[in-house]
Amino acid sequence: EDNPYEALMVNIFGTKIIADLSAKHGAEKFVMVSTDKAVNPTNIMGASKRIAEIYIQSLQTCPPQEGRSTKYVTTRFGNVLGSNGSVVPLFRKQIEAGGPITVTHKEITRYFMTIPEACNLVLEAGAMGVGADIFVFDMGQPVKIYDMAKKMVKLYGFTEDEIEIIETGLRPGEKLYEELLTSKENTLPTHHPKIMRAEVNTLTNEQICTHFDELSEIIVEADEFSLVAKMKQIVPEFVSNNSVYEKLDVKR
């Protein structure tokens, strides 16, 4: 939330560069790994990933370059247990240090899957995608982060009196519950019981490229609020939460 320029350069323009090069060099498939934070985003990260999704889908409307036709596929899922940045290694480190365990809010919930599950489903979705697909994974039931912390304390053989769990407050842009689909989206079943195809609003490549040109101009101007305002224009459902950019939603 503190670095919207980095989110824009990496998640949006970084994705664009690799996607364009895939078409140029005739890659058969391009699979983008997105996030449930892209659904009704409340932060810069989620909004930037949603814009990247829109660009990826728009490429399927472009004519093939020199007879080549790359199929663009997007996968969207939640947190991966044990991955870099996951709460599990963090909690383990905090417990081994004698505590306390820190959670941002007692009611915060997240979807989780294991690393093998995530890898297998990404590969399956990539194989079955025919272009402009957004695949949503069945993540099961969301889990309370606070309950996960309590279970880890117990598994380590401690009591909650020995390892304290404290609330630190929601971080800028953070929301209590993640979603896998927006209210305007529907899902269609696929032959895989854990993979659904999402029906989402799309833009043409010409439309999204016009937005990208305007984003590029704003980068030169170095105005963070103008940049975020433009992101909100591209993703109308982007409503900031616990963030300095909430004032843009009031104006809107």
Side-chain angles (χ1 to χ4, degrees):
E1 205 71 4
D2 292 337
N3 300 282
Y5 281 101
E6 294 305 318
L8 181 129
M9 295 305 293
V10 175
N11 284 347
I12 299 176
F13 286 106
T15 301
K16 181 182 186 302
I17 289 169
I18 303 301
D20 291 348
L21 285 171
S22 295
K24 180 179 178 181
H25 294 284
E28 182 181 341
K29 287 276 180 76
F30 179 102
V31 181
M32 174 188 171
V33 177
S34 189
T35 169
D36 51 5
K37 290 178 174 61
V39 182
N40 293 326
T42 59
N43 52 53
I44 302 293
M45 187 274 208
S48 64
K49 292 290 270 186
R50 177 62 191 133
I51 293 170
E53 285 184 359
I54 294 169
Y55 183 75
I56 292 301
Q57 280 201 296
S58 78
L59 288 174
Q60 215 62 62
T61 67
C62 297
Q65 295 185 15
E66 300 176 6
R68 301 166 180 163
S69 181
T70 304
K71 303 297 183 186
Y72 291 91
V73 180
T74 298
T75 62
R76 187 191 280 172
F77 54 98
N79 300 276
V80 179
L81 283 167
S83 63
N84 188 25
S86 168
V87 294
V88 173
L90 173 63
F91 287 171
R92 185 185 296 130
K93 186 177 179 181
Q94 290 176 332
I95 292 170
E96 291 172 355
I101 290 180
T102 56
V103 297
T104 57
H105 195 287
K106 267 191 175 183
E107 297 301 316
I108 201 164
T109 64
R110 291 292 182 265
Y111 289 94
F112 286 97
M113 67 194 331
T114 65
I115 292 174
E117 280 179 317
C119 292
N120 284 332
L121 289 173
V122 167
L123 289 169
E124 293 242 19
M128 64 199 287
V130 294
D133 300 296
I134 292 186
F135 289 116
V136 181
F137 296 166
D138 179 0
M139 301 285 295
Q141 294 299 313
V143 177
K144 275 191 177 182
I145 302 297
Y146 190 82
D147 290 345
M148 182 183 289
K150 289 198 295 185
K151 286 178 182 176
M152 285 190 65
V153 169
K154 189 175 180 180
L155 286 170
Y156 265 85
F158 295 109
T159 67
E160 289 179 48
D161 291 330
E162 294 172 305
I163 301 291
E164 187 182 8
I165 302 174
I166 61 174
E167 289 182 88
T168 58
L170 290 175
R171 293 169 294 181
E174 191 172 28
K175 57 183 175 181
L176 288 177
Y177 312 101
E178 300 290 4
E179 307 155 84
L180 292 179
L181 286 174
T182 72
S183 57
K184 293 181 180 178
E185 290 175 1
N186 297 308
T187 57
L188 298 172
T190 68
H191 69 267
H192 195 294
K194 285 190 169 289
I195 301 177
M196 297 158 287
R197 181 179 280 105
E199 292 187 309
V200 297
N201 296 323
T202 60
L203 297 177
T204 66
N205 187 253
E206 185 179 0
Q207 288 172 321
I208 192 66
C209 284
T210 299
H211 286 308
F212 277 23
D213 289 342
E214 292 170 5
L215 282 172
S216 300
E217 293 173 5
I218 296 171
I219 291 174
V220 177
E221 294 169 4
D223 184 340
E224 290 187 349
F225 277 86
S226 295
L227 175 63
V228 177
K230 182 60 187 177
M231 293 174 72
K232 288 177 182 289
Q233 182 188 347
I234 301 171
V235 185
E237 65 271 23
F238 172 23
V239 179
S240 297
N241 184 47
N242 191 32
S243 168
V244 294
Y245 301 113
E246 286 181 62
K247 62 179 68 175
L248 294 172
D249 298 315
V250 174
K251 287 181 181 179
R252 199 164 46 148

